[in-house]
Amino acid sequence: MFLDNHFDTSRRVFGSAKPKSIRADPFARCLTARKVSIDEPVPRLFSACAAARTRVLPAFGRAARELQIQNHRFDVALNNLTQGVCFFDGTQRLILANRRYAEIYNLSAESVDPGTTLTEIVDLRFASGAFPEMSRDEYLAWRDSIAVSAEPNDTIVELKNGRVISIHHRPMPDHGWVATHEDITERREAEARLAYIARHDALTGLPNRMLLPERMVQESEHGTRGDSLAVLCLDLDHFKNVNDTCGHPVGDALLCAAAYRLRAAVRDEDTVVRLGGNEFAIVQIGAEQPRQAIALADRLIEALGRPFQLGVHQVTVGTSVDIALDTRRGADPETLLKSADMALYRAKADGRGTYRFFEPIMNAEVQARHAPETDLRRAAANNEFELFFQLILDTQTYALNGLEALVRWRHQERGLVPPMEFIPLAEEIGLIVPLGDWIVQEACRQAASWPRATPVAVNLSPAQFENPRLVATIRGALKASGLAAERLKLEITESMLLQDTPATLRILDQLQSLGLSISLDDFGTGYSSIGYLRSFPFDTIKIDRSFIRDLGVKPDALAIIHTIVDLGRALGMSVFAEGVETTEQLATLQGERCSEVQGYLFSQPLPAAEVAALIAHLDARSRVAA
């Protein structure tokens, strides 16, 4: 009876028939796994059920714990995001929001519980001040329009409390949405600071050259019809003297004081810009041009002409002003600025402390000056320079004592261009240092190939002495060519010694320590030639060609040459005369016992390809004469 009752109970539980699908009944699957039929005796069936329970319940427990762990991880990740995250369903009720979302809008954690409506959250935000400059209804209408559109939306919102929030809205299939809210206030402030720094001068606080075109466009767009735009460029006269005599801190103080006076001289709607160095520009817009530009130029000249008291220093500078007008209100800002720069050069050329307007002829003059510069840069890039060499002879025996390297420019159209036509331009545009280095290297290379150990002389420019790599360049040229140092003679002018005598003499000592000889060129034209001879033991003194040219013309020329030769002999230096063109000049120099001569009387400068043959010819003639 007991068994029958349990059997009936089991049949009521499981039914009189087997399940259609064992897979559909997890309990049956457990029984099947243990190969137990529900038709078997009840004790065995209960035993199987107990075993199945022992296996299934722990699995359910593990799954529950795993789910709990995953939920915890998700909660930690969500609440540690730097962005606020919120999910709303299709009825605009909150599904979930993280902690950062509440922090951004100054809300409590309880106020963003699941089920809270969007309207309730908006009301709380409105009360906390974390709301944009719009009404509650306007904001709700705006959010509804975004939700209804079912399109992604990215927005930056500025709140009344000063915070700036970036919102990324993404729709969900059920007409709900997920949105991320990021507080970008500090980022926007940093970007604004960087933008300000990039467009303003760090010293004076004025807008810089980068901001100038933007301001010119703004002024042009905001001006009324008929207004013309004026750009005034100016710089401080004698500013370099202030830096050199008083120091750079005083120079910086002068620039700040000048910027203050410039701002005081203009209207509120005008823009003062520091272009760089001691150069400034002003953008002015007004209906009465050029009268207003002229009036402003006069005020600027007067303001900057007054003395500046900079600590214990009182300095006086002036300025010249250039003016460029855009009466059509369509000129390119850079073109207008260049026009003003050109006028500034004219104002300085005509005398400082004045103003000039840009004229079209100025542009033609600038272009004419620019063409040779372009040609010269192209020549440097295309290796259009070459060396010629001129003989240096013993005054008494006419023996070959060396050759001087002279650079020539083989122009594509003009042919050979002499150095006096392009060397000053090369110095002006900064090409003289690389050109001078090439001359030294090429002269050493050529001299190393000559049939006998003939010395070579090379002129150095003042700009080369300002190059800290000069000594290394000379040393490298000697090493690369294999030329013995005693065969190289460097020629410098007195103007180099005027720049910074201690530093220049230190460089000369380093050069002389290489084993080469050094000649003082154009002797007699400087301010303290004898003082230089006492400061540094030159190997040779070169008499300036102007004294040679004046022989037989000016009575004092012979007396000067006589004095220089006696001075050189007393100091143990040889005396060199250049520019000898007549037999009378040669005879006079022989009588004065000048050491060496050079000039067209003996030979014009020769191409490098002819030098070796000339040396061989002179050597053969010397052997015949002997």
Side-chain angles (χ1 to χ4, degrees), residues 12 30 52 67-68 164 170 252 255 257 259 300 320 379 408 423 504 538 605 618-619:
R12 285 197 301 272
C30 293
L67 181 60
Q68 185 179 16
V164 182
R170 295 297 179 266
D252 290 346
L255 291 172
L300 298 176
S320 301
R408 296 290 186 269
I423 290 297
T504 302
F538 292 95
L618 292 176
D619 286 348

Side-chain angles (χ1 to χ4, degrees), residues 95-106:
I95 299 174
L96 67 84
N98 67 350
R99 187 183 301 115
R100 181 59 181 152
Y101 176 80
E103 292 173 351
I104 288 175
Y105 295 110
N106 298 324

Side-chain angles (χ1 to χ4, degrees), residues 326-384:
D326 178 18
T327 56
R328 301 187 308 275
R329 298 294 301 282
D332 175 66
E334 282 299 324
T335 301
L336 203 58
L337 185 59
K338 289 178 182 178
S339 299
D341 280 338
M342 286 184 242
L344 180 59
Y345 296 137
R346 174 60 61 85
K348 290 188 175 298
D350 293 346
R352 299 176 185 271
T354 185
Y355 64 84
R356 288 291 181 273
F357 281 90
F358 170 76
E359 300 171 2
I361 191 174
M362 295 179 186
N363 187 49
E365 292 174 354
V366 169
Q367 295 303 321
R369 290 197 303 268
H370 185 64
E373 176 183 335
T374 302
D375 281 353
L376 192 58
R377 293 189 184 278
R378 187 203 68 243
N382 296 340
N383 300 317
E384 295 179 8

Side-chain angles (χ1 to χ4, degrees), residues 461-494:
S461 72
Q464 284 177 277
F465 261 76
E466 297 177 3
N467 183 2
R469 292 193 51 80
L470 174 62
V471 177
T473 298
I474 302 296
R475 184 186 294 110
L478 292 171
K479 182 177 180 180
S481 63
L483 186 73
E486 58 268 17
R487 291 182 56 191
L488 178 61
K489 177 181 290 187
L490 300 178
E491 299 185 359
I492 71 166
T493 61
E494 291 184 62

